[in-house]
Amino acid sequence: MNKPAEDAGSQSRSNQTVLTDVQVKLLAGLNREAVDLVNSRFAAARDLNLYDLWEHVGEQEVIFRPPRWPADTTPEHDRWLRQLQSLELKLDMHVLGRLRAGDLLAFGVRLPLRPSTVPTPIPPGLWYLVAFDMDKRTAEGNSWSYQEVRVISLRLMVPSHRLEIATALSIIARQLESEAEASDTRPTGGKGRPSHSHTTAARTSHIDLAADRPVAPAPDTVSGLPIAEVVLPDDSKPLRDARPGPWSVMPEIEKELRRRAAAVPKECLKTWALESHHLFKWAEKRFKRDEAKKAANPPSLGWLRQKLSDVYYELNPESERPRKPRSKS
């Protein structure tokens, strides 16, 4: 009986070229609630009933990791590392499937960066054209690339709101397609990143989306630059009892740990073994020795675990310290 009205509504949505106020507000609300992409790996582990196994394998990989890894390695550590990589690949593919299905909505900072850059929604179809890196929180393709990717599940949204979101994402996808077609005849700037500017319609929808709330700089960036490229003030406090050298990045790792503990919801992982592994990977990707910038290599995992364990348990009192095995007399 209502079929003609439904058909008319569908036709109207298919012809829509600009986001409505309702769609802008819905996307702005989802943008505020979106969490770090890495959190989706935990949801995937629960969906696949692999959480306990993943946690156990992660702890064993950290426990058996040689102090000088990857320069030194052992068969036992290699075995646990392969199991961990296999599990995380399975979890990441589950996340990718949800992104492509539109069950999980992602927001990312579009590259190249501009003064007006703000987080924007990533349409589901784009996940067939980009390669995403869970640990780096990036999605990279020939025409579209994003960093600082965050996600939010749409499972609990009412059907009418999901329909509005789907319509909005289709509009954004068409804008991106038009932008790519317009740039085909223009030279590209950089590897895999076009030098074209955003279209007026796309830029307007992106700015309107963020107008509901000012967007703060990402926690690991300052004015759009990675922390490794920012000169720290001379009075930055050194890590407690760590006695870092003038080039040490340990204070920055402690800052990241404190940020993760203060986040709402808390981002710290369940155990120090898992959290230290995450911080080690985070530091590996962000810091590299540079004589000109006086930047240092990240510390070894063993040193990081030794120096920051007290900070972790101070910030996460709900986590129990592992008991040391009794020595045999």
Side-chain angles (χ1 to χ4, degrees):
M1 187 173 181
N2 295 328
K3 190 172 182 180
E6 292 176 0
D7 291 342
S10 300
Q11 183 68 23
S12 176
R13 282 189 292 271
S14 64
N15 295 331
Q16 185 181 336
T17 58
V18 180
L19 301 183
T20 66
D21 290 342
V22 172
Q23 292 164 352
V24 169
K25 288 180 180 178
L26 286 173
L27 288 173
L30 293 171
N31 181 35
R32 285 196 301 269
E33 300 298 326
V35 298
D36 195 307
L37 176 62
V38 173
N39 288 16
S40 61
R41 192 181 273 171
F42 292 87
R46 288 189 288 269
D47 288 345
L48 301 175
N49 295 319
L50 293 174
Y51 190 88
D52 290 340
L53 176 61
W54 178 42
E55 185 180 52
H56 172 71
V57 173
E59 288 182 342
Q60 296 303 309
E61 189 273 331
V62 172
I63 290 171
F64 285 98
R65 179 181 294 182
R68 296 182 180 276
W69 184 85
D72 295 338
T73 185
T74 64
E76 188 71 13
H77 173 256
D78 287 346
R79 182 172 67 86
W80 287 111
L81 180 60
R82 284 194 299 270
Q83 289 190 38
L84 180 62
Q85 291 172 339
S86 177
L87 271 173
E88 292 188 341
L89 177 61
K90 188 172 184 177
L91 300 178
D92 293 355
M93 292 305 296
H94 181 76
V95 173
L96 181 59
R98 291 187 62 194
L99 288 166
R100 289 175 173 176
D103 182 43
L104 201 63
L105 174 60
F107 292 84
V109 176
R110 179 86 182 274
L111 297 177
L113 295 175
R114 291 181 173 83
S116 60
T117 297
V118 295
T120 60
I122 304 176
L126 201 60
W127 291 103
Y128 291 94
L129 305 173
V130 298
F132 89 113
D133 188 307
M134 180 73 76
D135 295 317
K136 292 181 179 179
R137 288 84 163 169
T138 59
E140 297 185 353
N142 290 331
S143 299
W144 306 282
S145 294
Y146 300 82
Q147 67 180 20
E148 300 301 330
V149 176
R150 296 172 296 112
V151 295
I152 186 169
S153 175
L154 303 182
R155 285 175 176 172
L156 301 181
M157 288 193 76
V158 298
S160 60
H161 287 177
R162 288 201 65 166
L163 182 59
E164 293 290 350
I165 293 299
T167 303
L169 292 175
S170 68
I171 294 171
I172 295 172
R174 291 197 297 270
Q175 291 173 351
L176 293 175
E177 290 172 359
S178 300
E179 177 185 312
E181 291 172 0
S183 67
D184 283 344
T185 58
R186 302 177 189 177
T188 58
K191 296 182 180 179
R193 292 176 184 170
S195 59
H196 59 259
S197 60
H198 301 319
T199 61
T200 302
R203 187 188 303 114
T204 302
S205 65
H206 293 170
I207 293 175
D208 289 345
L209 172 60
D212 187 60
R213 175 185 179 226
V215 178
D220 61 339
T221 63
V222 178
S223 301
L225 295 174
I227 284 178
E229 298 180 11
V230 178
V231 179
L232 299 176
D234 295 335
D235 60 352
S236 55
K237 296 181 180 179
L239 180 69
R240 69 181 72 180
D241 299 327
R243 295 187 178 88
W247 294 7
S248 175
V249 299
M250 189 71 88
E252 294 305 319
I253 300 175
E254 181 177 354
K255 285 182 184 178
E256 173 66 5
L257 173 57
R258 291 185 178 278
R259 183 198 68 78
R260 287 168 57 79
V264 179
K266 182 178 286 191
E267 297 177 9
C268 284
L269 303 184
K270 191 175 180 181
T271 66
W272 175 229
L274 289 174
E275 180 66 17
S276 60
H277 179 262
H278 171 85
L279 292 171
F280 177 73
K281 290 292 187 181
W282 176 87
E284 270 192 328
K285 290 178 172 63
R286 283 161 176 76
F287 302 110
K288 188 175 182 181
R289 187 174 182 84
D290 189 319
E291 298 285 343
K293 297 177 182 178
K294 295 185 178 181
N297 283 324
S300 67
L301 177 64
W303 183 252
L304 187 154
R305 293 182 70 189
Q306 176 185 346
K307 294 303 176 183
L308 292 183
S309 62
D310 288 342
V311 179
Y312 171 83
Y313 289 111
E314 173 189 324
L315 299 173
N316 300 273
E318 69 278 8
S319 299
E320 295 184 4
R321 288 179 181 265
R323 297 179 179 179
K324 294 183 179 180
R326 295 181 179 179
S327 58
K328 295 181 180 180
S329 54

